[in-house]
Amino acid sequence: MTYLIQQSLNALQLGSVYALIALGYTMVYGVLTMINFAHGDFFMVGAFLCFLSVARLHLPFVPTLLISMAGVALLAVAVEVSAYRPLRKAPRVSAIITALGVGIFLEHFTLALSPYPLHIPPAFENVTWNAGGLAVSSLQVVTVLLSVGLMAALQFVVARTPLGIAMRAVSWDRDTASLLGVPVNRVISATFAIGGALGGAAGMLYALSYPVIDPYMGVLVGWKAFISAVVGGIGDIRGAMLGGYILAAVEIAVAVALPSTYRDFVAFSLLIVLLIFRPYGIFGRPRPQKL
Amino acid sequence: MTWHTAGALFRDRRTLYALTATGFVLSWAIPRFGLLDAYVQLILMYVGINVILCLSLNLINGFMGEFSVGHAGFMSAGAYTASLLTVRVFPHGVAWAFPAACLAGGCAAALLGLLVALPSFKTRGDYLAIVTLAFVFIVKSAVENIDAVGGPRGFLGMDHLTTLPWVFAWTVGTVFVIRNFIYSRYGRGVLAVREDETAAEFMGVDTRQVKVLTFVVASFFAGVAGALFAHLLQYISPGMFDIVKSTEMLVMVYLGGVASIGGSLLGASLYTVLLEVLRPLAMWRMVLMPLLLVLLMIFRPRGIMGMREFPWFRRRPQARGGGRAAGVTAAAQPRAQVPILLDVSGLTHRFGGLTAVSGFGLRMSSSDLVGIIGPNGAGKTTVFNLITGAYRPDKGRILFAGQDITGRRPGEINAAGIARTFQNIRLFKDLSVLDNIMTAHYARSACGVAEALSHAGRYRADESRVRDHALDLLAFFEMEGQASACAGSLPYGLQRRLEIVRALATRPRLLLLDEPAAGMNPLEVDQLMEFIRRVRAEFAVAILLIEHQMRLVMSVCERVEVLDFGTTIAAGTPAQIQSHPRVLEAYLGQEAAS
Amino acid sequence: MRRLSLSLACCSAAVVMLGGCGRRSGDTIRIGVIAELTGSIPAVGASCRNAALLAAKEINDAGGIEMGGKKKKIELVIEDTAAKADQAAAAAQKAITRDDVAAIVGPNSSSNALPAAEIAEKAGVVMIAPWSTNPKTTLDAQTNLPKKFVFRACFTDMFQGHVLGKFAAETLKAKKAAMLYDVASEVLKSQSELFKQSFEAGGGRVVAVETYTTGDKDFSAQLTKIKKAGPDIVFLPSYYTDVPLQVQQAHRLGLKVPFLGSDAWSTEELIKMCGKDCDGFYLSNHYSPQTTNPVTRRFIDSYKAAYGGVPDDVAALTYDSFGLLRVALAAAGTTDHRAIRDALSRTTDYQGVTGNMRFTPGSGDPVKGAVILQIKDEKFVWVTDVQP
């Protein structure tokens, strides 16, 4: 029993990070119907900013969090303005390929600066509490609480604030929103900023939990978070959160129940089965076709 | 040589044949006499393999407009199958072993392509992208777990069988087959799926067949490329065929240009060669490449050759077959008459809690011209969608020419003889007027898959029959002059008309027109009325139309059905309807009626 | 039309650039260094390049290598493989055909070294893969006989897995072992299988076999499973960048048994990242850092001086590859490929950074001993020597 609880805690921690990154995908998708494949690399930049802050500037936890979030938000807006905005009217796929290009660029630019994996010293004293064979670390608690907090904050912004209303309006119909006086460009930039900030926070939490970082760390995690977003129903905020936790739970459950060698094989097969039964994800609905 | 002569050479197909022949000779002579050093030869073989990969991925992502990232998985299947055969099964040193292994590798990949195509029936776009993404992870993980093929350590023992002539031959073969595929009925289906999958289905295109074929053909060639790759490097491992490999292929496709054979040739060559030329930059090479890609996307969002084609690879301009042969009207193609063409009874459909159509019934004979009117939201278009198979009715039965067609798929219903137009025009906008019409011949084409891929057998006869029929149709409606124009560029009135002609091309016995006069000025409406009368007379079709323009309905239709809240509230001749109290009530409100 | 022609012209220009003529070596000895500078294992590539530059500089500072009465300097041709097999093959082919290299050092990962080795063998150019532990690298895939021109500087997976399994069973007297390795890595899988073989031959039992995939950072599920199996020792042949994550997660989950690693651990970088978490763990290595061997000491010092960091095993092995080449080149007295090969395979006692090595005739695998080290108070401490 403690064994299963322990594994659930593991899934909770991993899922929180997937969910945070998945949110970045889903927000951009919701507003622009564009898959921002560079998001995994935004996450990587967040982790490197965390390194800079903790290992080089010796800053404590909270300023590090702010630096990572703000830095990645800035980066996301810069990328949006310079690379994605010129493609607003182009075919959707061109923007996706551009995003892939931006991602590869970020990876290799970081790589050219630092080919070696970097190690991040702990930003705060990590205490492990043991209770009846169950081990819970303060880092785990911080990761889960902070993720849930950020997700709740996001939910509030989207549901209750003028910015959130504007975002939903742009997502529903960009042209009409623009006619009604919604500053579309600014709303889109704000979306990227928020998505980027979440990605930065995820990068930092990830870097503290798994303190060896390298320029390619965002690739695999990014694809997985994207999968989480789709499983939940891309464009849907609750979906992205749920998707993140589901993917982590499946990965860990497969590793627990079967030889871990088959983890990817089984986890991704399950994913395809899920998409066959719910082709638009858990919360996603097909947009009704008007004939 | 001036630009002019260069251009003429460029347009002449014989240049391509000459180049291909020279290419074959060179591919044999270069290694034989060492005309180029081993390094350039190696890169040329990479170029060939990448062209095959790029072109086959372009078939799915460019021509069909899906977003697949599964090519690394197909390549892996081909590479492993072929390598296992040459190393463990086939005798060594025999000439047929390698081509047979390549074919087998292709077939193994095609089999997987079939599997991946199945989910594409239900899901599209980003969801299909995820399915293919997961597929890559699954293949990699599966191979890693099979110790018999070396697991993560990879597999070796292949002879160095991939040579320049083989690569060249397979590349030429791939270009040949994929080009043939695109310029066949299936190819028109592929483009139609990209342009508007729903409309394609209503026009009789078997979209499932098209998708399966496209995935099978594309994955076959990816598998062949994998086989060539394996016997060039003499070593394969599951890690080689990861998602990064797929990303690389995506970059080549979109660099060269979507939906373009020439673009894929260019994209694959440029990418492969650039990677080598930029070697002196060392680490910065991989920083520069993506930057170039981003810049290219900004300035040419569809890639260098996006949606365009080298003259060599364009469709050969063909002369009309045997003059105006059979004719297109009903007089030329008589059909057995049935007393009751359409018999709808008790049709009910709900959206969630809302009953859009309830207990609708309608009978039409084979020469009726019936109008459906009713206020907005009365359920008129829903009735159309139920009859044509877009929705499955909750209750009720639809008999067409004595056949029960309730709940059939749109394609089957079209084949039975019902065609329709749409409230918002749904032409295949990026295709020519002629191609729009020819696409609608999909179901009645005799050309088989093998014939389409080789352009042999019945292909030519079938193609010219379809083309002639399409041209005759256009000529009949005085649109022949626009045959090669892009459908999306026609003026609005002509687009409406083209949509009706396209529906007629499927040879329907019942034509459903959804607000044909929407957005037209009075003069255009007059022309349209004339047009509708002529269509019915000459093509012997029954017509059912939804319209808000009362002038059109009252003067063209012989019978009018009035719908409100999903039920018929009145039916009769236009004169009867105009004075019917319930109609006035529905349109003008209760007070005005009383 | 003009635009089309223009793009065609650009394309042919690129082809012409590719087809530019090669260079002939004159007063220098050109050595190709083929490394994974970009791609999935950039640290390996960077170490390889750094060590190569250092080795070349030292040789050149000493005046070069004497050939035909004239001192010739070393010139490096560094190529990137992007950690991809096809690019590794292209890089090797380019170095051989275009740059007319006397010999090649690299690539390091076996998946890159295998295709490059095929090319070097076919062209008859000596290639030393510093870090490729796959036994197949130096063997002909069809005949399983040794290749003629391909060498390595490290020991093979076989040797190391075997040494460690025996050590765990006999010296540590462990009864139950668990293993955790990267299923996507060809090296680690082989090592683990051999560890299991010789551990069980020594009377032990492997109670848990868990795996992960390259790029994973969360191992909690696997470690929790291992903890449940209750082993005395965990065999963890991971690359040193993964080890701190795995060990720290294990400790957080309350799994506190000694871990056993391979030469992939043998850098002080590991101890810096791991801190106290790695204390008491064992690993196999090519050499002991407390060695009195002056070659090793000098290498570590000059590497630190040049790059600020401590060298890892890739750097040490690359440096030794150059050392071997230096001796062979001097003995051959020419850049003739066959002469270099003959000289290299006659190496009988080379005092390298990673210990003494020699080649037996007809094999590209060096005969070299291993040492077992323990991490104590954040230092590597010598435990025992193992001879093949």
Side-chain angles (χ1 to χ4, degrees):
Chain A
M1 193 61 212
T2 34
Y3 173 67
L4 286 180
I5 297 176
Q6 184 73 58
Q7 292 287 24
S8 315
L9 285 175
N10 297 339
L12 205 60
Q13 185 187 8
L14 188 62
S16 298
V17 179
Y18 284 163
L20 272 185
I21 313 171
L23 280 176
Y25 277 108
T26 245
M27 287 188 62
V28 169
Y29 187 92
V31 171
L32 277 178
T33 61
M34 173 200 156
I35 305 170
N36 178 19
F37 276 133
H39 192 71
D41 300 295
F42 289 172
F43 155 85
M44 176 273 293
V45 173
F48 273 82
L49 286 175
C50 171
F51 170 80
L52 208 66
S53 165
V54 174
R56 291 280 179 271
L57 306 174
H58 305 289
L59 295 175
F61 182 79
V62 175
T64 302
L65 180 68
L66 293 178
I67 286 179
S68 293
M69 289 179 72
V72 179
L74 266 178
L75 173 72
V77 172
V79 167
E80 192 270 321
V81 171
S82 59
Y84 301 159
R85 190 169 291 178
L87 287 164
R88 208 59 71 68
K89 296 261 182 278
R92 222 165 70 88
V93 182
S94 312
I96 294 179
I97 298 297
T98 307
L100 269 180
V102 170
I104 300 175
F105 169 77
L106 287 176
E107 283 157 28
H108 289 97
F109 190 77
T110 316
L111 178 71
L113 299 179
S114 135
Y116 287 100
L118 299 171
H119 176 252
I120 300 184
F124 53 86
E125 183 80 30
N126 189 14
V127 197
T128 306
W129 297 289
N130 273 300
L134 205 65
V136 184
S137 71
S138 51
L139 197 59
Q140 258 174 332
V141 175
V142 169
T143 304
V144 174
L145 285 185
L146 192 61
S147 308
V148 173
L150 284 171
M151 288 184 241
L154 178 70
Q155 187 71 31
F156 175 78
V157 167
V158 172
R160 295 289 159 81
T161 63
L163 176 65
I165 295 170
M167 278 162 65
R168 280 182 288 149
V170 173
S171 140
W172 194 250
D173 187 335
R174 198 190 306 160
D175 294 332
T176 312
S178 152
L179 287 176
L180 292 174
V182 176
V184 171
N185 276 340
R186 259 194 296 171
V187 170
I188 290 176
S189 293
T191 309
F192 270 88
I194 295 175
L198 292 175
M204 181 220 171
L205 288 174
Y206 197 79
L208 290 179
S209 302
Y210 313 109
V212 178
I213 60 171
D214 68 86
Y216 296 105
M217 64 186 281
V219 180
L220 197 65
V221 178
W223 285 110
K224 285 188 176 169
F226 171 48
I227 288 172
S228 312
V230 173
V231 166
I234 193 157
D236 189 296
I237 288 179
R238 295 162 305 156
M241 295 191 243
L242 192 63
Y245 287 111
I246 287 181
L247 185 69
V250 168
E251 277 192 352
I252 290 197
V254 172
V256 168
L258 298 164
S260 39
T261 323
Y262 293 97
R263 189 195 62 192
D264 281 4
F265 185 82
V266 179
F268 287 106
S269 302
L270 280 178
L271 175 84
I272 289 188
V273 171
L274 185 130
L275 281 180
I276 286 172
F277 287 106
R278 289 213 58 105
Y280 295 90
I282 294 168
F283 286 116
R285 280 177 203 291
R287 292 207 169 178
Q289 279 242 40
K290 192 140 173 63
L291 294 173
Chain B
M1 194 168 69
T2 63
W3 279 111
H4 187 72
T5 44
L9 272 178
F10 199 59
R11 269 187 295 273
D12 194 336
R13 189 177 298 268
R14 278 170 302 180
T15 318
L16 180 64
Y17 296 145
L19 279 180
T20 312
T22 321
F24 267 114
V25 174
L26 278 179
S27 75
W28 168 79
I30 288 172
R32 180 78 181 71
F33 302 110
L35 300 183
L36 292 170
D37 63 45
Y39 170 58
V40 179
Q41 286 186 36
L42 182 67
I43 302 310
L44 284 177
M45 287 192 264
Y46 284 172
V47 168
I49 292 171
N50 282 340
V51 165
I52 298 176
L53 287 170
C54 185
L55 198 53
S56 62
L57 183 61
N58 208 340
L59 193 56
I60 299 176
N61 287 25
F63 289 100
M64 194 159 73
E66 291 285 5
F67 193 76
S68 163
V69 293
H71 250 48
F74 299 136
M75 197 182 168
S76 174
Y80 270 94
T81 309
S83 305
L84 276 172
L85 285 176
T86 54
V87 174
R88 302 243 172 102
V89 181
F90 292 162
H92 283 252
V94 290
W96 54 265
F98 184 50
C102 289
L103 279 177
C107 292
L111 217 62
L112 287 183
L114 193 73
L115 278 181
V116 175
L118 296 180
S120 78
F121 294 166
K122 279 182 95 175
T123 112
R124 251 189 95 76
D126 313 319
Y127 297 90
L128 187 64
I130 290 296
V131 170
T132 57
L133 171 64
F135 167 73
V136 172
F137 280 105
I138 290 172
V139 171
K140 178 167 176 272
S141 177
V143 178
E144 273 167 2
N145 278 300
I146 304 174
D147 272 330
V149 295
R153 271 164 297 200
F155 186 75
L156 22 74
M158 292 78 89
D159 288 311
H160 190 266
L161 295 173
T162 303
T163 55
L164 209 48
W166 273 125
V167 173
F168 191 73
W170 276 110
T171 310
V172 170
T174 308
V175 173
F176 176 75
V177 171
I178 289 186
R179 182 186 171 279
N180 285 349
F181 183 68
I182 292 161
Y183 296 134
S184 72
R185 63 188 276 228
Y186 303 107
R188 282 191 290 273
V190 169
L191 299 180
V193 166
R194 178 188 73 203
E195 294 291 315
D196 190 332
E197 188 174 339
T198 313
E201 220 167 315
F202 285 110
M203 291 305 121
V205 175
D206 187 345
T207 53
R208 294 187 174 189
Q209 184 186 32
V210 164
K211 286 178 179 175
V212 165
L213 265 178
T214 308
F215 267 99
V216 166
V217 170
S219 51
F220 173 84
F221 285 111
V224 169
L228 292 170
F229 191 70
H231 290 84
L232 180 57
L233 290 187
Q234 298 173 263
Y235 167 70
I236 45 174
S237 69
M240 283 177 178
F241 309 106
D242 58 357
I243 187 68
V244 178
K245 187 88 196 166
S246 284
T247 317
E248 213 180 334
M249 290 182 228
L250 282 178
V251 168
M252 286 191 268
V253 168
Y254 292 93
L255 176 80
V258 289
S260 163
I261 297 170
S264 282
L265 293 178
L266 206 64
S269 319
L270 210 58
Y271 181 84
T272 317
V273 172
L274 259 185
L275 262 187
E276 291 301 320
V277 171
L278 294 180
R279 271 194 179 280
L281 294 180
M283 324 243 316
W284 297 96
R285 174 175 69 146
M286 299 306 281
V287 179
L288 188 66
M289 285 294 282
L291 264 190
L292 289 177
L293 179 74
V294 170
L295 284 178
L296 181 87
M297 280 292 126
I298 290 174
F299 292 108
R300 286 198 74 86
R302 285 169 189 245
I304 300 172
M305 293 280 301
M307 309 291 279
R308 294 184 307 159
E309 198 56 275
F310 285 145
W312 293 332
F313 300 117
R314 285 191 202 138
R315 179 194 288 277
R316 194 193 302 254
Q318 274 167 340
R320 178 185 277 276
R324 189 159 304 192
V328 289
T329 58
Q333 299 162 330
R335 273 189 297 211
Q337 295 294 311
V338 283
I340 296 170
L341 187 64
L342 180 72
D343 184 1
V344 179
S345 55
L347 210 57
T348 299
H349 191 68
R350 292 185 199 91
F351 293 110
L354 177 86
T355 307
V357 174
S358 90
F360 177 82
L362 176 70
R363 275 187 174 204
M364 285 176 75
S365 79
S366 39
S367 59
D368 275 353
L369 210 171
V370 178
I372 298 181
I373 62 170
N376 283 325
K380 303 183 296 286
T381 298
T382 310
V383 166
F384 267 30
N385 287 339
L386 290 168
I387 294 177
T388 54
Y391 305 146
R392 180 185 279 272
D394 293 324
K395 257 189 228 146
R397 204 171 55 145
I398 307 165
L399 290 177
F400 182 73
Q403 230 183 319
D404 189 354
I405 56 165
T406 322
R408 297 264 189 90
R409 282 174 39 211
E412 296 170 324
I413 289 174
N414 177 268
I418 303 181
R420 70 173 290 179
T421 66
F422 302 90
Q423 203 171 335
N424 309 307
I425 302 176
R426 298 188 80 151
L427 288 169
F428 308 127
K429 286 200 175 60
D430 280 337
L431 304 188
S432 72
V433 168
L434 182 64
D435 279 334
N436 265 273
I437 307 290
M438 286 177 76
T439 304
H441 286 78
Y442 184 91
R444 286 183 299 107
S445 225
C447 177
V449 176
E451 290 163 325
L453 293 178
S454 60
H455 279 196
R458 282 172 297 175
Y459 170 79
R460 252 160 225 270
D462 189 57
E463 197 73 354
S464 66
R465 186 181 62 75
V466 167
R467 175 189 309 271
D468 288 353
H469 188 261
L471 283 170
D472 287 346
L473 257 180
L474 286 174
F476 185 84
F477 292 107
E478 282 124 32
M479 288 179 72
E480 213 177 8
Q482 277 94 12
S484 55
C486 182
S489 68
L490 294 183
Y492 182 77
L494 271 184
Q495 290 199 17
R496 280 265 175 225
R497 185 177 291 203
L498 176 61
E499 215 191 6
I500 299 175
V501 179
R502 185 180 65 175
L504 282 175
T506 67
R507 286 187 65 193
R509 311 171 74 172
L510 170 64
L511 184 59
L512 271 54
L513 305 177
D514 198 349
E515 298 195 25
M520 288 188 171
N521 62 34
L523 187 71
E524 285 174 321
V525 172
D526 285 340
Q527 290 171 345
L528 181 70
M529 290 197 285
E530 192 44 47
F531 184 78
I532 291 174
R533 288 200 188 99
R534 199 163 156 223
V535 164
R536 188 187 44 163
E538 301 270 4
F539 289 85
V541 284
I543 296 179
L544 180 63
L545 60 84
I546 295 173
E547 194 43 77
H548 284 296
Q549 291 258 5
M550 284 307 149
R551 192 161 65 90
L552 184 140
V553 177
M554 294 306 163
S555 71
V556 166
C557 299
E558 292 145 359
R559 235 168 70 213
V560 178
E561 302 263 329
V562 187
L563 230 64
D564 199 14
F565 298 111
T567 21
T568 311
I569 54 169
T573 62
Q576 289 168 336
I577 292 299
Q578 268 164 327
S579 54
H580 199 291
R582 287 202 60 191
V583 178
L584 295 177
E585 186 188 312
Y587 270 90
L588 303 171
Q590 201 152 16
E591 276 170 47
S594 60
Chain C
M1 185 52 55
R2 175 155 301 191
R3 226 189 255 161
L4 282 186
S5 316
L6 215 63
S7 53
L8 267 192
C10 286
C11 213
S12 24
V15 173
V16 170
M17 277 174 77
L18 182 71
C21 39
R23 303 184 289 163
R24 294 284 132 211
S25 53
D27 298 336
T28 56
I29 304 167
R30 239 185 245 132
I31 309 276
V33 176
I34 298 176
E36 298 80 350
L37 297 178
T38 59
S40 50
I41 43 169
V44 170
S47 290
C48 179
R49 184 194 51 193
N50 288 349
L53 288 170
L54 182 67
K57 184 172 171 288
E58 286 180 6
I59 294 172
N60 289 343
D61 286 351
I65 295 169
E66 190 166 316
M67 272 185 187
K70 217 171 111 191
K71 287 255 182 182
K72 284 191 175 181
K73 300 224 162 160
I74 298 270
E75 182 190 344
L76 295 185
V77 178
I78 301 179
E79 297 286 356
D80 177 25
T81 71
K84 287 182 191 144
D86 51 335
Q87 290 219 31
Q93 189 70 65
K94 176 169 183 255
I96 292 168
T97 319
R98 279 302 158 79
D99 299 311
D100 193 27
V101 293
I104 292 174
V105 172
N108 296 292
S109 78
S110 294
S111 65
N112 284 211
L114 278 161
E118 288 293 339
I119 296 219
E121 179 74 5
K122 213 172 295 154
V125 175
V126 168
M127 172 180 136
I128 307 180
W131 193 62
S132 168
T133 52
N134 189 325
K136 296 272 171 68
T137 307
T138 54
L139 296 181
D140 185 299
Q142 258 109 38
T143 58
N144 258 346
L145 295 172
K147 287 193 177 98
K148 291 197 170 60
F149 287 89
V150 181
F151 298 82
R152 77 176 96 223
C154 51
F155 20 67
T156 62
D157 303 329
M158 309 274 195
F159 178 58
Q160 220 173 169
H162 177 69
V163 165
L164 287 165
K166 217 169 132 192
F167 175 75
E170 290 172 8
T171 315
L172 296 180
K173 309 254 182 272
K175 290 276 163 264
K176 292 189 284 180
M179 313 200 290
L180 175 65
Y181 64 92
D182 180 352
V183 69
S185 153
E186 73 269 11
V187 184
L188 306 186
K189 188 176 160 72
S190 306
Q191 283 183 3
S192 305
E193 280 168 6
L194 279 148
F195 172 85
K196 184 169 185 234
Q197 232 174 56
S198 53
F199 182 68
E200 291 186 340
R205 196 160 58 86
V206 172
V207 291
V209 180
E210 294 298 323
T211 63
Y212 58 96
T213 297
T214 318
D216 280 359
K217 306 271 173 177
D218 186 282
F219 311 95
S220 51
Q222 292 93 326
L223 289 166
T224 310
K225 255 175 120 174
I226 287 178
K227 184 186 167 198
K228 200 179 164 204
D232 309 325
I233 191 162
V234 178
F235 181 56
L236 184 74
S238 313
Y239 195 54
Y240 77 89
T241 49
D242 288 339
V243 175
L245 295 179
Q246 290 158 339
V247 170
Q248 280 162 9
Q249 283 174 35
H251 286 178
R252 234 177 275 156
L253 292 166
L255 175 64
K256 288 179 177 154
V257 294
F259 282 57
L260 190 59
S262 68
D263 59 332
W265 285 26
S266 65
T267 165
E268 282 174 38
E269 202 59 38
L270 173 85
I271 295 181
K272 269 192 358 208
M273 291 189 194
C274 235
K276 290 232 177 302
D277 279 315
C278 283
D279 256 17
F281 292 4
Y282 298 93
L283 63 146
S284 65
N285 195 17
H286 309 264
Y287 64 102
S288 162
Q290 298 147 322
T291 174
T292 47
N293 180 352
V295 185
T296 313
R297 287 256 58 92
R298 205 176 57 233
F299 167 67
I300 294 175
D301 292 341
S302 47
Y303 192 94
K304 270 186 185 161
Y307 303 107
V310 273
D312 54 16
D313 57 335
V314 179
L317 290 165
T318 306
Y319 188 83
D320 271 353
S321 304
F322 270 88
L324 284 165
L325 260 184
R326 181 187 197 169
V327 175
L329 282 167
T334 161
T335 52
D336 178 68
H337 295 141
R338 192 160 284 275
I340 299 174
R341 183 197 79 93
D342 291 341
L344 190 58
S345 63
R346 277 196 301 267
T347 308
T348 45
D349 184 30
Y350 171 71
Q351 301 273 337
V353 169
T354 62
N356 289 6
M357 40 179 129
R358 65 190 160 86
F359 285 107
T360 49
S363 165
D365 300 335
V367 181
K368 62 197 280 192
V371 294
I372 302 279
L373 304 177
Q374 189 177 23
I375 303 176
K376 267 188 192 155
D377 299 326
E378 306 189 23
K379 275 197 178 60
F380 291 115
V381 180
W382 177 86
V383 177
T384 176
D385 279 322
V386 188
Q387 287 308 319

